[in-house]
Every structure is written in C-alpha cells, then in structure tokens.
Amino acid sequence: MNESARLEVVGRPARRKDAREKVRGKAGYTTDISLPGMLHAKALRSAIAHARLVGIDASAARELPGVHAVLTGDGIGDDIAPTYGYFIKDQPIVALDKVRYEGDTVAAVAAETEAIADAALRLIKVEYEELPPVASIEDALSDGAAELFEEAPMGIVPAYGTGASAELRPRPNVCYRFNYETGSPDVFETCDHVFEDTFHFSRMQHFHLEPFAAVAQWLDGDRIEVSTSCQNPFALRKELGRVFKLPENSISVRVPFVGGGYGSKNNCKAEPIAILLARMTGRPVRFALTHDENFLTNTQHAAVLKLKTGVMNDGTLVARDSEIFLDSGAYSDASPLVAEKAGYRIPGPYRYRHIRTSCDCVMTNTAPAGPFRGFGGTQTSWACESQMDMIADRLGMDPLEFRMKNLIDLGEPFVPGESGMDSDLRAGLELVAREIGYHDRKKNPVPNRGVGLALGFKDGGGVNKPAQARIKVSTFGDIFLHCGTVEIGQGAHSALSAVVAEILGAPAGRVRYMPINTDHTPYDQGTNASSAISVMGQAVERAARSLRAQVLDFAADRLGAEPQDLDLEDWHIRKGNEALPLAPMIMGHFGGTGWEFTADGFHKAETDHSAPLETQCVFWELGWGAADIEVDPDTGLITVHKLVVSGDAGQAINPLVCRGQDEGAAIMGLGQALFEEMVYDGTRLMNGDAFAYRVPMAQDLPAEFVSITQEQGHGPGPFGAKGMGEGGMLPVAPAIANALFDATGVRVAALPLSPPRVKAALAKNS
Amino acid sequence: MSDTVSITCTVNGEPVAADVPASTTLADFIREACGLTGTKIACGHAVCGACTIHLDGVPVASCSAYAFEADGSEIRTVEGLEDADGELDPVQAAFADLSAFQCGYCTSGMIMLARALLDRDPNPSGETIRKWLSSNICRCTGYEMIVEAVARAAEAANPGTMR
Amino acid sequence: MSPLDQSPNMLPPVRQLPPFRLFRPTTTAEAVGILGSEETPPICYAGGTDLCLSVHEGRSVPSLLTLNTLDGLRGAEVRNGTLAIGALATFDELSTHDQVTAIPGLAEALGAIANVRIRFRATIGGNVVARRTAYEVPILLAALDARLVFESSVGRRELAATDIWTAGDLDRSLLTEIEIPLTEGLALDYDRTLRPWMTQAAAGGGTERVAVGTRFLRPALLSGDPGDSAETRFSGLPGEFNDVLLTRDYVSGTGAALLTRQRARLAKG
Ligand SMILES: Cc1cc2nc3c(=O)[nH]c(=O)nc-3n(C[C@H](O)[C@H](O)[C@H](O)COP(=O)(O)OP(=O)(O)OC[C@H]3O[C@@H](n4cnc5c(N)ncnc54)[C@H](O)[C@@H]3O)c2cc1C
Ligand code: FES
Ligand code: FES
C-alpha cells in the first residue's frame, strides 16, 4: 500500500492543536499555576566565583514577618541525598561546603510574597574564604590550577559498544572524558597531507522566555506533587526519588505547556528547592526564577576543538584525529552526555578509514553548561565544516566537490556497527547550493561578497530512549492519547495526535492529548534529541495500529465478516458501500453501558554491542545550509544577503511545523554566527540579562531567508518521518565563515564573527 | 501622597475598580488582580515584550509600568481580542492558521504588538511590519512566519489592498 | 543581574517591589519641592523603561515620584538660537516633531533608538539621567554640544551634556530641558550600524564634533577643524579606550572609516 498517496491528516498544513489556546492566551504554563496558601521562593547566589563556605547566618531572615523558611546547606539532613546530576552527582541543592561560580545557589527563602522573600535574602550573611578562580578551559588545564572538586564526586560511566569508552576524572578539573576509535592510525602514514587546525566555539544562553519554574507541594506529608517547566518528567522523577529517598509512586510530576527550553529544561533545576521548601513549610511553594537567573543556571558549552585530518591529493579523506575540550562550567549537568555526542559527531557525515576522538569536560568557575539545541553537534559542525573548506582550499579543490567526493552514501553506515545514512546527503547539498547560486558565484564577482556551504550533522533520536504510549477510544469514538512527550513549542502534541487520527481514520479534532502526569502517563525517557516523532512517534504508531486492529476484530465478530474486508472511518465501519456506526454496535455488545478500547505501544532502539553507543542511531539529523554574505572591510561587519537552510523531515507530519523548526533553529544559528555570546570578563558574566545579551530580532532577518523542508521518505518514524528541530542550527555559522573566506580569503576560526574579530583577521591577512 | 492607589479603569471593555499597593506593576495587576494570565512575564524589564498590552491603545510592556498609570484608562489584553461569539481577531486567526507560534510564551505579546500596528496602519508594508515586530523577542520561530501572519491579518481585513 | 554588585552575595532580580509611597505632582515646582524636602529623595519615574531595569538590579525605591502627571516638559522648540527639548519628550514624539528638523539628522537619530514599543514610552531625559554607557542620547548630545538644564529646590543648574558622567549626585534634581545651540550649518549624522559594539555621532557646521560610544565605555568626544583627516581626528581617542568587546585599535581605525562616510553624507545633506 502506498500510504502517503492516501494520507488524510498527515502532511497537511493544518492548525496546530494548541493554536486556539495559544493565540487566545489560554494555554497554561507552570508560571501560571497558583495554589491556595502558596508561598514564593527566591534564591541567594554567590557573587564570588570560587570560595569555601565558612558560615551562613540566616537568623535575621528567618525572623522577618512573612518568611516561612530559609534553606541553607547546613539545614539539609541525612534523609536527603544533597547533590544531583546526570552521570555525576556533583551539584548541591544549595551550596554545602563551597561555591563554584558567580551565581551558585547559597540559600533559598520561602515567604508570603516575592517582595518579602527578596527582603529576607538581604538579611542573610555569608562568610566566604576565597579560592583562586578558574575562568576558562586554558586556566583549568594549566599546571597548578585550583581544583573545583578536590575529590571525585560520585559518578557512573554507562556501557559503551565497539570502539567507544569513557573515564571519570581522567585529570584534575576534567570530570569526564569520552573516547572513540575505529580503524588503524597507521593510515595517517599513507596520507599525502595531514592538516591540523584549531577552532574556538563561543557560548550562548538558551534564552527561553518562560524561566525555570516549579510549583511543589507535599500531600499527606510523604508524597510530592510537583508541576514543572521540564522536558523530561520521568528522568526527573527518578532523580527526585533518589534525592528525596522516596519510591517513584510517591512522586507525581506534572508538565503543562512549556515556554521554550532548547535543551535547558532537563533534569533538576528549580524543583529540588521548591520541594524542600514545601516540606519545610508544609505549604505549596512556587519557585520561578527570573529570566536573568536563567543565565546562571544553564548554558551552551564553549569549546576548543583540535582537528588533525589526513587526506590524499585527489581529495579522498583518510583519517581524522580530534581532541575536544568543552567548557562545562562549575557542575557536570549533562556535560558527559554532550561530550559523548560531540566526540562521536566530530567526523561529520564523511567516509574515513580511521577515526579517533577524545572529548574532555573541563570544569571552570562559570555557570554550568548543559544540553543545548544541537547537543555538541553545533560545536562539531562548526569545526568540521570549517575545516572541510580549509582543506579544499589547500588542495585547490572546490569545497562542494570535495564534500561530494567524501560524503557517506544513502544506506551506508556512519561508522562500523552503525545504522545506515537515511538521507541522500548529496541531493540535499546540491539543493542548497543551487538555491544560493553556488555554481554561478564566480561569474560576476563582487568584491567582499561570497558564498559558503555547510552540512550540519548529528545522530538524532537519542541513545537508550524507551518510549511508551497508550491510546483509549470511548464508545463514541473520542480518542485519548497518553504519552510523555512534552509540548515545548515543537508541535509534538499535534504531530503525534495526527498520527493517531490518520491510523484510526478519524478527523484530527477527535484526538485529545492528555495532560502529562507521571502517575498516569506511560513512561518516556524525555523530550529531547529530536525524538518526538522518530521515537515516540513509533510507539504511538504501534498503539494506534494495535487499537485499529482490535476495533476491526471486534466489528468483524459482530458482523460475521473478515477484518481485512473492513475499514475504519470516523468511528464507522466501512464494509463495501455500507458505513456502520460503531457506537450502537459497542453499546449493544456491552449491555448498553459502554466500553473503551485501549492499546499500548512501545519503542526502543535495540541494544547492540557492535554499535559504538550501544544502540544504533535512530535517525540521522542533517541541516544543509548556504549563505551569501558581504563584509565591510572598513568595519568588519558582515551582512547576510541570503540564508538558505534545509532539513529532511522524511515525511512532514505538518509542513508548517517543520518549517518553523528549521527557521527557528537557523535564526538561533545566525545569532551565534554573528553576535550572540555570553561575554565573560574572567569569571564574571558581563551581559547576563535580556537587555545586555543580544538575541536575534526580526530586524536581523537576512534580506532573503529560505528554508526548504525536504521529504526524502527514508525516516524510521510513522509514514517515513524523521525528527527535526536541531538540524537547522548546525550549518549556519560554518556556512557564513566559509562565505567570509570565499569573499576575502580570510579564515576566522572563532565565534562569533563579530566586527572586531573579523576586522582583526582581515588586518592580519593584508 | 499615598501607598495604596484606587484604580478605576476598563479591562477589555469591562469596568474594573480596585485598590492596590502603588508598587503593583501593571502586569501583576492584570495577571493577579484581574486573573488574566494570557499576559506573560519573561524578562521583567521591558526588553522582550512578552507582557505587551494596550494602555489606551498604546502597546506597553506591562511588566515595566505601574497599575496606577491605568487609572482612568482602557486596558486591552490578549483575552479582549476575540468577539463575544469567540470569533478570533484577524491577527489571532492568522497566527493560528500560519503557525506563527511555537512555545507560545511570546505569542500574546506579539499579537498585541501586531494589533497595535494594524490599528494605526491597516496596510503596513513588509518593512513596517518587520520594524514593529523588532520590538519583541521570539526565541522559537525565527520571526519569518510571524511577519507573514501579520501581513496575512492585514490582508484579511483589507482584501486586495496589500502593498 | 548587576555586574556592579560588589557584595559577596548576588541578589536575584527583583520583579515585585515592596510597597512604596507615590507622589503625583502636577507642576514642575511641586515636583522640585518634593524632591528637595523628602528625607530620602523619591525616585523619578518618566517612561519607566530604564527604572524597571535598575529595580531589577536591586535599586531600592522608598518612594516614587511620577513625572507623567506634570503638565509640561514635553515637545521641542527653537528659541533664541537654541533647540530646547523637554526632558519628558518621548522618542516617538521627537522623531516626528517639526521643530526637531532644525538640526538635520536629529529626528532620524532619535527615531532609530530602541524600538517602536519602547519609543512610545521612553523619554529623552530618562536616557540621559540613567547614565548608562549602553544608551545613546549622551553620545548624540556630546556631538551636539548640548547643555542639560536641571531644576532643584536650590535653583537652576546647567551642565554640559558631556559632564553628566561626573556630575555627582543628581537625586534631588529634575532634568527639565536639553538645549542645543543652533550654530551655523549644524547637522548630525549618526551611524549605529555597529551597535552594540560602537556607534558614532558626527556633527558638522563650524568645529567638527565626533562622539564615539561603546557598550561599556563612556562616550569619547573628539573635536577639531573639519579640514583634518579622519585619522587625525581619531588620534585624540583616549589611550585606554578598550572594553571586553573591542580594542582601541578597532575603535580608532573603524571610527575614522565611519567618519569619512559621515562627512560625505553630511556634505550631501
Ligand atoms: C528594550 C529596550 C531597548 C532599548 N534600546 C535602546 C537603544 O537602542 N538605545 C538607547 O539609547 N537606549 C535604549 N534603551 C534605553 C531607553 O532609551 C531608556 O530606558 C529610556 O530612554 C529611559 O527613559 P524613561 O523615560 O523610560 O526613563 P525612566 O526609566 O523613567 O527613568 C530613567 C532614570 O532617569 C531618572 N529620570 C527620568 N526622567 C528624569 C528627569 N526628567 N529628571 C530627573 N531624573 C529623571 C529616573 O529616576 C531613572 O533613574 C532601551 C531600553 C529598552 C528597555
Ligand atoms: S516581560 Fe515585560 S518586556 Fe519582557
Ligand atoms: S513562540 Fe516561543 S518564544 Fe515565540
């Protein structure tokens, strides 16, 4: 059956399910929750980057009228595991013995109003003994550098497959190192050229508009109920269970609409403090950070990437050896996972005979870095795609031709043991090259104007992500979809509902995506890694197909027909020319009371030791990009005349939503390329608020901005769909840097490509 | 001089009278005293525009204005755009139809900003739309689809007259 | 959060102020009287677009004096060879005000500051009194040789716009007017294409006055004979004109290049 020929719901530019709520201001977010008796929490932070905590005196704050509790490290008892983290449990709920960055949480207050909580914070006295600060990767790795952790915190290394390994704390100030190797390094000897280049990657803030926020209460003194702005409620529940030493059925995590995350809203953020203060006060507690505090809570990873690439005269890539250093900030957060991905993705989607990489998570006295759209792939695409153009130039080859020669074929494994490439990489590259006018670019050259290409690459769908879904349909055909994918803006609730509607032959409006509550919602590992459609979509698809089969079997029994002769259409059974309503059939059979059909679906990529990351990649996420830019040599200012990005949706469930994902990601990439950056002066963040930190605005859109959603049809998801959401960000910065080289012959290997940096590079060259 | 102020105003056409502390921001007044949580607070200091409402027709960041300023004024929020039958305003309809939102946290403010533009200039050029929309931040969409939605809303209200 | 906070603790940005007293004067004299007589001077409130940032940064507001109930201090007027601008005039108002055209280029410059939403509320006076290096009006006013007129209960005080940074405590003063002498042929060119790294105002007519602003540095004023080369003009840039985003070398080289363009635009009129 050629399914896409007869799709009714999937593939249409329909209104999203959340459209009416969101355009009318009716969508509920965690920050909108208000419970009777609710208190408000605020946190005191350290203004010193690195210090031993000598003492805290919170007595005056406790006595302030309206204050209900003050939480400090010395108030945390043995009934609580005081630190959390992903692989490494190093981040305290509030500082215990040390503070490790400017902004580290020292104490928290719960009070009747935010204003009283603010006033109470001013009364807390903290005594610090300052320690030497560690500001950067270079600082942290230098001889005699102060150590953020004198002893290794508790941590684990997960099982890896062929060629991959990791170690905890391989050296001081490095909390985790990921390694990967395949093929023999001897092939370097056979190379005509070996090129070594170093790239620097700047650090952005996620800048989600809804801050980190949680509203917590204790029920009957021993059960936690927390509503939170969070991307992975089940992983959070598990961590909260460990911290609060509670069984998971005593913790209910609820997630309403989430006002943006871009990676940051994974794992513990506002929740532990809200929960602890709720326990101390016996009242519901709301802890909503201010937007400025987001900058102090989670960031992207700055990075240094050293690439050594062996290549033949004819442009055949042979070997790549990479060393990556991620600035992880003061706590490990998701750094080990990002290191794993950065280390794995650094070769790019090209064929080599030998790959070796190591990726270190370097601890510094700056805000903790964590997951960020692209998850290490933005860093590696920046370095890899910049170096591709550099090598092409050194070999006297055209950068497009050089890439075409080395790209992995459709179906070819990325590395031994991996799944095959599920997009035609050359077709995508040729598409954006044509759109930007790459082939004609030398016909009428304009001084200081140039064109560049890049191909962003990451493995998508996440590693070890089991996903479960449940569908119920009532007697009258009302459909309940239960699954844990969080609606964070990506349109997942609409897309997953569309898959159900399509399979059950129902109008999209019949499906309701039920509120997420870990007590009832089937298990999901998290809304990240562009996994909603590619992983959860498969679970939902299975549940829907199983439910459909149940209904057809039921009707076949009633009608004395064979199920394959029946079809399901808007809760009617289609049998030849007849359309028989299901409701009376169900009522008749169940004695007039009614009934619900229920079906579950599950998906997880199989464990596979031959795959380096223990499971084969679910799908490959690509972002093809091209830029046409002009640089003003007098000022160093880059103007992007045209930006083209393209992703492969496999099959677009909703083309408008796919377009939005690529465009949103691309403009984030544009900010990173040109100006957006957390500026540190030593360990002090100089632009940690919305006014000082510049994000792209509508005025920053390039004169021409083209996004093309490809639908190559090779994805693992329902109807051939692949995930989207991150790919569009990956190629933008390297495409612009490559265009700058095309325009001027000058290579800038650090971000952002700000006027002062570009002008300095131009001056050095002339 | 006083530390409590009496406010008499209309909110989305409904008369409202309240006594609030002088330090109450307009955003808190709208969200807490009036219970209208469609107005979002993000940055809290006039930068992002998520909290944009109309104060006597002028688009204002309500996080950075005080409730006392609304005395004798008309406040309009996102909740006041649809008509009595629940029919969406053309701006809302265009945002919904063209998916000019993702997480939705900027959406109320963007819609109010766009509404203020169209109230002044029913036929804005693309450049004017971009200029106006550059007042508010959307981190999700990359803006292009929002610009298109505002153009569509103008077009819907004035068929055939798009510049 | 304020990077200027010198205490060992960092307080979270304040969203909700503790209760404060509110003054709503209707005349300048009344406002000046309150500023002079209250034990702790009230904080003035104009458009509020900067005040909210400083509250966020932890500024305490014992009481607030709203200027929006005042009946004057708006608009602009050419009188006795000067352009007098009311401190409470908004950017929106000024960008379309016919009197502002007395200085070619000024309305355009004011109409480019911030964004549409902010320009409806933000006042020119608030931009100056806020004394933030990121704000642009002090750059324009430096190039235009403007004077600031303050009223307080002890009388009227005039200040060169360039002295705002070193004027000390202004808590009990009300900025009422900004006065720009209309010298022969005065015109302004303001280049903000490089914002937030640097922006540059150049005023021609008589002595050439060039003001350069950056994100973190107080504006530098370079003036002299319009016949000087652009490079000569920038040789006067202070020695330590560096911040975390740019170097003195960048500013002087780029500033000179911008000035050459600005001169050409001013010559074209
Ligand atoms: C999103 C955003 C973007 C911006 N972009 C720019 C930009 O591009 N360029 C730029 O230059 N600026 C920019 N600004 C700053 C903006 O222009 C200023 O905040 C504004 O001009 C201040 O005026 P206000 O009336 O709002 O002042 P208020 O916030 O009311 O007051 C500011 C300060 O001045 C005092 N004050 C105000 N008026 C008087 C008076 N008459 N006498 C004595 N004291 C007074 C107040 O007490 C307060 O301390 C931006 C601000 C925001 C929020
Ligand atoms: S929340 Fe009011 S402008 Fe950002
Ligand atoms: S839709 Fe998320 S910020 Fe605009």
Side-chain angles (χ1 to χ4, degrees):
Chain A
M1 176 178 59
N2 177 1
E3 267 188 318
S4 64
R6 50 154 288 252
L7 293 176
E8 298 285 338
V9 180
V10 163
R12 304 199 180 227
R15 271 193 186 179
R16 288 169 51 144
K17 289 195 90 64
D18 47 359
R20 264 189 79 81
E21 283 158 286
K22 285 184 174 170
V23 303
R24 292 161 67 239
K26 300 288 187 203
Y29 300 81
T30 301
T31 46
D32 296 326
I33 295 172
S34 178
L35 299 175
M38 184 173 83
L39 301 173
H40 298 266
K42 284 270 182 180
L44 185 71
R45 297 170 181 278
S46 165
I48 297 177
H50 195 192
R52 215 168 293 288
L53 208 55
V54 179
I56 301 190
D57 179 2
S59 51
R62 288 198 174 91
E63 276 156 32
L64 189 74
V67 171
H68 286 248
V70 180
L71 169 66
T72 54
D74 53 13
I76 295 182
D78 290 345
D79 53 340
I80 280 173
T83 56
Y84 54 79
Y86 292 61
F87 287 0
I88 303 169
K89 311 297 179 189
D90 60 356
Q91 184 158 8
I93 298 172
V94 290
L96 298 171
D97 53 344
K98 270 178 104 172
V99 289
R100 294 188 178 82
Y101 69 102
E102 295 186 32
D104 208 351
T105 315
V106 179
V109 171
E112 303 277 344
T113 65
E114 279 188 40
I116 296 173
D118 279 326
L121 294 180
R122 285 165 202 265
L123 302 175
I124 299 176
K125 295 197 190 74
V126 188
E127 197 184 329
Y128 299 98
E129 177 192 319
E130 280 197 57
L131 297 167
V134 175
S136 63
I137 292 173
E138 293 70 24
D139 271 11
L141 300 181
S142 65
D143 286 338
E147 289 185 53
L148 275 80
F149 292 88
E150 287 89 356
E151 281 163 44
M154 176 178 67
I156 54 136
V157 173
Y160 288 111
T162 309
S165 65
E167 20 181 347
L168 289 168
R169 204 171 196 262
R171 58 186 285 190
N173 286 336
V174 173
C175 69
Y176 198 82
R177 172 178 294 160
F178 173 80
N179 303 294
Y180 176 67
E181 182 158 11
T182 183
S184 163
D186 296 348
V187 295
F188 267 116
E189 315 262 302
T190 67
C191 295
D192 292 328
H193 310 273
V194 175
F195 298 113
E196 297 189 44
D197 299 290
T198 299
F199 301 88
H200 290 263
F201 186 85
S202 54
R203 180 187 216 171
M204 303 208 302
Q205 215 282 319
H206 305 74
F207 210 92
H208 38 86
L209 290 191
E210 186 195 26
F212 294 106
V215 179
Q217 61 181 334
W218 287 74
L219 304 176
D220 309 324
D222 63 356
R223 281 187 297 135
I224 297 171
E225 188 183 282
V226 59
S227 297
T228 170
S229 186
C230 157
Q231 299 181 222
N232 62 350
F234 287 91
L236 176 68
R237 182 183 71 181
K238 179 172 159 211
E239 186 72 342
L240 291 175
R242 194 187 59 79
V243 167
F244 291 97
K245 303 189 177 175
L246 284 176
E248 288 184 56
N249 59 6
S250 295
I251 303 169
S252 157
V253 179
R254 291 143 193 246
V255 184
F257 284 117
V258 174
Y262 322 106
S264 67
K265 289 177 176 169
N266 282 287
N267 241 33
C268 293
K269 294 289 175 291
E271 302 84 2
I273 285 180
I275 293 169
L276 247 179
L277 286 171
R279 193 174 77 170
M280 291 165 75
T281 59
R283 302 256 294 253
V285 171
R286 174 187 197 260
F287 185 34
L289 275 63
T290 56
H291 189 263
D292 311 38
E293 289 175 285
N294 294 343
F295 287 86
L296 303 175
T297 305
N298 213 238
T299 75
Q300 194 187 33
H301 287 86
V304 178
L305 305 101
K306 299 183 178 178
L307 269 52
K308 177 177 152 194
T309 306
V311 47
M312 305 308 289
N313 277 328
D314 70 353
T316 306
L317 285 170
V318 177
R320 168 160 296 170
D321 192 325
S322 326
E323 254 187 304
I324 307 173
F325 302 91
L326 300 176
D327 186 339
S328 300
Y331 297 105
S332 61
D333 197 79
S335 288
L337 292 84
V338 176
E340 179 180 303
K341 292 303 191 175
Y344 196 50
R345 291 165 182 168
I346 187 66
Y350 304 102
R351 199 177 293 126
Y352 302 85
R353 289 163 59 202
H354 167 67
I355 297 168
R356 192 201 72 85
T357 70
S358 72
C359 183
D360 284 11
C361 302
V362 183
M363 311 301 286
T364 63
N365 293 121
T366 61
F372 191 109
R373 194 174 215 162
F375 212 88
T378 328
Q379 288 85 341
T380 58
S381 293
W382 163 244
C384 175
E385 289 301 288
S386 293
Q387 205 198 25
M388 287 302 284
D389 269 44
M390 293 163 82
I391 295 174
D393 174 61
R394 290 163 185 156
L395 296 179
M397 277 181 86
D398 177 85
L400 175 61
E401 194 189 318
F402 177 50
R403 284 187 178 78
M404 290 297 194
K405 191 176 177 73
N406 290 288
L407 282 170
I408 289 172
D409 290 327
L410 182 64
E412 181 181 344
F414 164 55
V415 292
E418 257 301 359
S419 59
M421 184 52 57
D422 53 2
S423 285
D424 180 338
L425 302 176
R426 292 185 185 84
L429 200 54
E430 181 57 32
L431 182 74
V432 297
R434 266 175 209 272
E435 180 61 40
I436 206 76
Y438 185 86
H439 301 293
D440 301 331
R441 72 192 193 285
K442 298 292 180 212
K443 281 200 186 137
N444 300 305
V446 177
N448 300 312
R449 187 157 178 174
V451 165
L453 302 173
L455 205 180
F457 160 83
K458 66 181 289 260
D459 51 309
V463 176
N464 282 324
K465 284 175 65 78
Q468 289 174 263
R470 179 165 306 138
I471 300 169
K472 302 198 302 171
V473 187
S474 76
T475 305
F476 298 102
D478 302 319
I479 305 169
F480 303 72
L481 172 57
H482 290 270
C483 63
T485 299
V486 170
E487 182 53 72
I488 193 162
Q490 82 287 49
H493 286 191
S494 310
L496 295 169
S497 300
V499 168
V500 174
E502 187 68 54
I503 293 170
L504 298 185
R510 285 314 283 275
V511 186
R512 195 167 138 75
Y513 195 104
M514 304 312 291
I516 295 172
N517 175 342
T518 52
D519 288 350
H520 316 292
T521 305
Y523 185 81
D524 172 43
Q525 209 267 329
T527 304
N528 41 40
S530 307
S531 63
I533 277 297
S534 59
V535 179
M536 183 56 87
Q538 297 196 55
V540 168
E541 179 180 8
R542 277 183 201 143
R545 293 207 187 279
S546 146
L547 195 129
R548 179 186 153 90
Q550 274 185 48
V551 175
L552 294 182
D553 283 348
F554 167 83
D557 280 353
R558 301 286 82 66
L559 301 172
E562 291 300 318
Q564 61 270 25
D565 298 332
L566 305 179
D567 207 350
L568 187 57
E569 259 179 37
D570 201 6
W571 214 234
H572 287 61
I573 295 297
R574 158 88 38 204
K575 183 178 173 229
N577 290 332
E578 283 178 288
L580 308 162
L582 264 163
M585 223 186 278
I586 296 167
M587 296 283 268
H589 183 70
F590 291 100
T593 49
W595 161 260
E596 281 184 357
F597 290 93
T598 306
D600 285 355
F602 167 68
H603 179 75
K604 181 185 172 302
E606 270 171 53
T607 304
D608 175 353
H609 299 296
S610 65
L613 300 182
E614 280 272 292
T615 61
Q616 288 197 340
C617 162
V618 178
F619 76 100
W620 300 97
E621 188 165 359
L622 289 314
W624 292 268
D628 170 2
I629 69 131
E630 190 166 347
V631 62
D632 177 346
D634 294 336
T635 63
L637 183 71
I638 292 176
T639 303
V640 178
H641 291 298
K642 182 169 181 175
L643 180 65
V644 181
V645 291
S646 180
D648 176 13
Q651 156 74 51
I653 306 291
N654 181 332
L656 288 174
V657 170
C658 293
R659 181 181 160 204
Q661 285 299 304
D662 268 348
E663 293 188 354
I667 294 303
M668 239 184 206
L670 185 73
Q672 179 133 44
L674 298 181
F675 51 77
E676 190 181 328
E677 173 186 29
M678 290 176 73
V679 177
Y680 278 94
D681 190 2
T683 55
R684 175 144 297 184
L685 178 61
M686 298 300 286
N687 58 347
D689 70 65
F691 178 75
Y693 183 87
R694 181 167 171 222
V695 295
M697 308 282 288
Q699 70 206 12
D700 297 310
L701 287 173
E704 270 192 88
F705 177 29
V706 177
S707 70
I708 308 168
T709 307
Q710 300 174 54
E711 295 180 275
Q712 295 192 5
H714 311 299
F719 313 100
K722 297 175 70 165
M724 296 199 76
E726 301 178 84
M729 177 159 182
L730 309 179
V732 178
I736 292 175
N738 291 341
L740 177 65
F741 182 83
D742 186 51
T744 62
V746 171
R747 172 61 50 181
V748 182
L751 286 172
L753 303 169
S754 64
R757 175 171 283 137
V758 169
K759 193 172 176 193
L762 293 173
K764 213 166 128 198
N765 201 47
S766 61
Chain B
M1 183 216 87
S2 57
D3 39 21
T4 307
V5 287
S6 300
I7 297 165
T8 309
C9 61
T10 64
V11 178
N12 299 326
E14 299 286 323
V16 170
D19 289 343
V20 297
S23 58
T24 308
T25 64
L26 195 50
D28 282 352
F29 177 71
I30 290 166
R31 284 177 56 88
E32 283 157 32
C34 305
L36 297 171
T37 55
T39 299
K40 298 294 176 221
I41 301 174
C43 73
H45 52 95
V47 181
C48 72
C51 62
T52 305
I53 53 104
H54 296 180
L55 185 61
D56 291 329
V58 178
V60 167
S62 59
C63 70
S64 305
Y66 289 99
F68 66 75
E69 295 173 75
D71 189 28
S73 296
E74 289 175 17
I75 295 174
R76 198 176 186 202
T77 71
V78 70
E79 288 91 345
L81 292 186
E82 64 197 84
D83 69 16
D85 304 328
E87 184 77 28
L88 299 181
D89 179 276
V91 177
Q92 291 175 305
F95 269 63
D97 288 337
L98 297 189
S99 269
F101 66 89
Q102 288 179 27
C103 80
Y105 218 71
C106 72
T107 307
S108 304
M110 280 288 183
I111 288 177
M112 294 312 286
L113 181 68
R115 183 68 265 160
L117 162 61
L118 298 185
D119 286 348
R120 280 168 180 71
D121 180 356
N123 275 308
S125 65
E127 203 194 313
T128 303
I129 294 175
R130 271 194 195 197
K131 194 167 132 194
W132 269 69
L133 291 182
S134 295
S135 304
N136 286 8
I137 293 172
C138 172
R139 188 59 154 170
C140 291
T141 61
Y143 302 104
E144 190 86 1
M145 295 169 83
I146 300 184
V147 173
E148 284 175 20
V150 177
R152 165 82 71 95
E155 166 80 18
N158 311 277
T161 56
M162 261 311 278
R163 276 188 218 158
Chain C
M1 289 196 200
S2 169
L4 305 175
D5 184 352
Q6 290 304 316
S7 95
N9 294 327
M10 208 186 255
L11 296 160
V14 174
R15 287 199 35 247
Q16 199 180 61
L17 277 176
F20 55 57
R21 287 181 304 149
L22 175 67
F23 296 94
R24 296 194 251 197
T26 53
T27 64
T28 307
E30 194 188 337
V32 168
I34 298 167
L35 284 175
S37 60
E38 284 295 305
E39 194 174 311
T40 324
I43 307 294
C44 288
Y45 178 79
T49 60
D50 175 74
L51 183 74
C52 60
L53 178 58
S54 55
V55 164
H56 219 69
E57 291 168 347
R59 180 178 190 179
S60 68
V61 182
S63 59
L64 193 79
L65 184 146
T66 176
L67 301 175
N68 295 306
T69 39
L70 297 188
D71 48 9
L73 308 189
R74 294 179 187 272
E77 188 186 7
V78 175
R79 83 168 98 89
N80 310 329
T82 61
L83 173 67
I85 302 176
L88 294 180
T90 64
F91 292 116
D92 179 56
E93 189 183 338
L94 294 172
S95 65
T96 53
H97 202 289
D98 61 350
Q99 300 282 298
V100 177
T101 54
I103 303 173
L106 180 57
E108 292 79 356
L110 295 172
I113 281 177
N115 57 56
V116 174
R117 171 171 54 75
I118 294 294
R119 287 197 292 272
F120 279 125
R121 301 265 298 176
T123 65
I124 188 167
N127 193 290
V128 179
V129 181
R131 294 195 269 200
R132 288 192 195 262
T133 53
Y135 293 178
E136 298 166 82
V137 175
I139 305 167
L140 302 177
L141 296 187
L144 293 171
D145 199 15
R147 300 191 67 75
L148 309 172
V149 180
F150 286 90
E151 302 275 354
S152 74
S153 53
V154 294
R156 178 184 154 106
R157 176 180 177 203
E158 270 191 43
L159 209 62
T162 43
D163 291 340
I164 183 78
W165 307 99
T166 49
D169 192 351
L170 294 169
D171 290 357
R172 293 190 184 275
S173 308
L174 185 68
L175 175 66
T176 53
E177 203 163 79
I178 295 166
E179 295 181 355
I180 305 170
L182 294 173
T183 51
E184 184 64 30
L186 178 65
L188 178 75
D189 185 274
Y190 186 49
D191 192 318
R192 67 198 297 277
T193 48
L194 291 175
R195 195 176 147 81
W197 293 281
M198 62 180 279
T199 65
Q200 186 163 300
T207 306
E208 179 181 68
R209 294 172 65 96
V210 180
V212 192
T214 77
R215 177 73 187 76
F216 296 106
L217 300 170
R218 292 174 184 173
L221 177 66
L222 312 163
S223 60
D225 187 332
D228 292 345
S229 73
E231 287 71 28
T232 306
R233 181 70 58 257
F234 274 82
S235 61
L237 196 66
E240 289 296 299
F241 208 75
N242 302 301
D243 72 21
V244 287
L245 294 176
L246 34 68
T247 60
R248 183 184 186 280
D249 263 5
Y250 178 77
V251 177
S252 61
T254 306
L258 290 182
L259 180 58
T260 305
R261 295 177 192 177
Q262 292 182 300
R263 284 174 173 176
R265 286 195 293 256
L266 284 167
K268 257 169 73 187

